[in-house]
Amino acid sequence: MTILPAIDLKDGKAVRLSKGIMDSAKIYSDEPWQVAKRFEELGSEWVHLVDLNGAFAGEPQNLEQIRKIRENTSLKLELGGGIRDEATIQIYLELGIDRLILGSIAVKDPEFVKAMAAKYPIVVGIDAIDGMVAVEGWAQTSDMKAADLAGKFADAGVVAIICTDVGRDGMMTGVNVDFTLEIAQASGLETIASGGLKDMTDIHALLDANIDGTIVGKAFYEGTLDLAEAFKAAHV
């Protein structure tokens, strides 16, 4: 299982939100690249980046910090937040991002996502509230089931799907294994669990369910998960 520690970028700082609410942002570092470096030291291969400002603005907002992370680590980087067009994808790839996450646009324009997945390393981000797709930085809920959306990308060349249970995100109430399995079964793609992970109990639950990957956020920042221990368990 691949563990992807997360850095959420807001106003150039590394923060964590609760349930995706911007006003809930808690600052953990003024230098996000130092956090990424720490992940690398602990044994990470990947870091999961989210441009929170970009998710609302619809265009890159934290390029300077993203560039610093790229320049100061050899980690593989995946990034999402406000990517709405091919030009933005190209900007990030030229910056050295390894794969891009398309979220809200996957609901509005799945054909665009399929076209991009045919040319670039694309991950689809599916965020759900009670099983229904959430869009626009989780500010709105659509009338589409998350599993139905996942199914649309089954044969589209998408690298992976990240599925987030918004109600658990940043709450450390336990990861939603059943929801992750539902998305995996609907798409047949590599599926990465996101939202609610707290400690090694969640890591073992995901491993037992043969989940492909998971994103670790607040559990690292609040000290409830030993990342080095998690990496060892995931690589056994």
Side-chain angles (χ1 to χ4, degrees), residues 10 14 37 42 61 93 98 104 119 132 158 173 180 198 212 216:
K10 181 176 184 282
K37 193 72 182 168
L42 289 168
Q61 297 289 306
L93 290 174
D98 294 278
S104 295
K119 299 164 70 173
M132 306 302 286
V158 169
T173 51
T180 308
K198 181 183 180 183
D212 299 299
V216 174

Side-chain angles (χ1 to χ4, degrees), residues 3 19 24 30 70 76 78 80 86 108 115 127 130 153 165 191 196 199 206 212 215 217 221 227-229:
I3 296 174
K19 298 185 180 180
S24 72
D30 290 336
R70 177 68 291 159
K76 289 183 276 189
E78 70 171 23
E86 188 169 4
K108 296 178 177 178
D127 308 324
D130 297 328
F153 300 104
D165 183 334
T191 304
D199 52 29
L206 291 163
D212 299 299
I215 291 168
Y221 294 99
L227 255 187
E229 183 184 355

Side-chain angles (χ1 to χ4, degrees), residues 193-206:
S194 173
L197 191 142
K198 181 183 180 183
D199 52 29
M200 287 302 297
T201 303
D202 288 310
I203 296 293
H204 290 301
L206 291 163

Side-chain angles (χ1 to χ4, degrees), residues 62-202:
N62 284 279
L63 282 173
E64 182 183 351
Q65 291 300 331
I66 294 163
R67 187 177 289 108
K68 283 185 180 179
I69 291 169
R70 177 68 291 159
E71 290 173 350
N72 287 283
T73 76
S74 57
L75 291 163
K76 289 183 276 189
L77 308 180
E78 70 171 23
L79 182 141
I83 302 171
R84 306 278 196 268
D85 54 45
E86 188 169 4
T88 303
I89 290 171
Q90 291 173 340
I91 286 169
Y92 281 133
L93 290 174
E94 288 169 9
L95 199 64
I97 302 300
D98 294 278
R99 62 189 193 188
L100 287 309
I101 305 162
L102 299 181
S104 295
I105 193 77
V107 184
K108 296 178 177 178
D109 193 353
E111 293 309 311
F112 168 77
V113 175
K114 291 176 184 179
M116 294 302 98
K119 299 164 70 173
Y120 308 111
I122 298 297
V123 174
V124 170
I126 299 179
D127 308 324
I129 297 172
D130 297 328
M132 306 302 286
V133 176
V135 294
E136 302 305 330
W138 303 345
Q140 303 171 24
T141 308
S142 72
D143 56 1
M144 179 180 292
K145 285 186 177 179
D148 291 343
L149 180 60
K152 289 187 177 186
F153 300 104
D155 301 306
V158 169
V159 176
I161 290 180
I162 296 171
C163 57
T164 302
D165 183 334
V166 174
R168 299 187 188 213
D169 193 72
M171 304 306 291
M172 297 195 299
T173 51
V175 72
N176 193 335
V177 174
D178 292 340
F179 170 60
T180 308
L181 286 172
E182 184 182 2
I183 296 299
Q185 289 161 2
S187 68
L189 297 168
E190 177 182 329
T191 304
I192 298 166
S194 173
L197 191 142
K198 181 183 180 183
D199 52 29
M200 287 302 297
T201 303
D202 288 310

Side-chain angles (χ1 to χ4, degrees), residues 4-87:
L4 301 98
I7 299 175
D8 287 359
L9 298 165
K10 181 176 184 282
D11 306 331
K13 298 173 171 42
V15 306
R16 297 307 294 172
L17 307 183
S18 296
K19 298 185 180 180
I21 300 166
M22 284 290 267
D23 288 345
S24 72
K26 180 177 179 180
I27 297 169
Y28 286 97
S29 176
D30 290 336
E31 295 290 349
W33 71 267
Q34 293 179 351
V35 180
K37 193 72 182 168
R38 180 63 180 144
F39 291 153
E40 189 170 35
E41 290 166 355
L42 289 168
S44 187
E45 296 175 10
W46 282 91
V47 65
H48 170 86
L49 301 172
V50 180
D51 180 352
L52 291 173
N53 302 106
F56 286 88
E59 59 185 18
Q61 297 289 306
N62 284 279
L63 282 173
E64 182 183 351
Q65 291 300 331
I66 294 163
R67 187 177 289 108
K68 283 185 180 179
I69 291 169
R70 177 68 291 159
E71 290 173 350
N72 287 283
T73 76
S74 57
L75 291 163
K76 289 183 276 189
L77 308 180
E78 70 171 23
L79 182 141
I83 302 171
R84 306 278 196 268
D85 54 45
E86 188 169 4

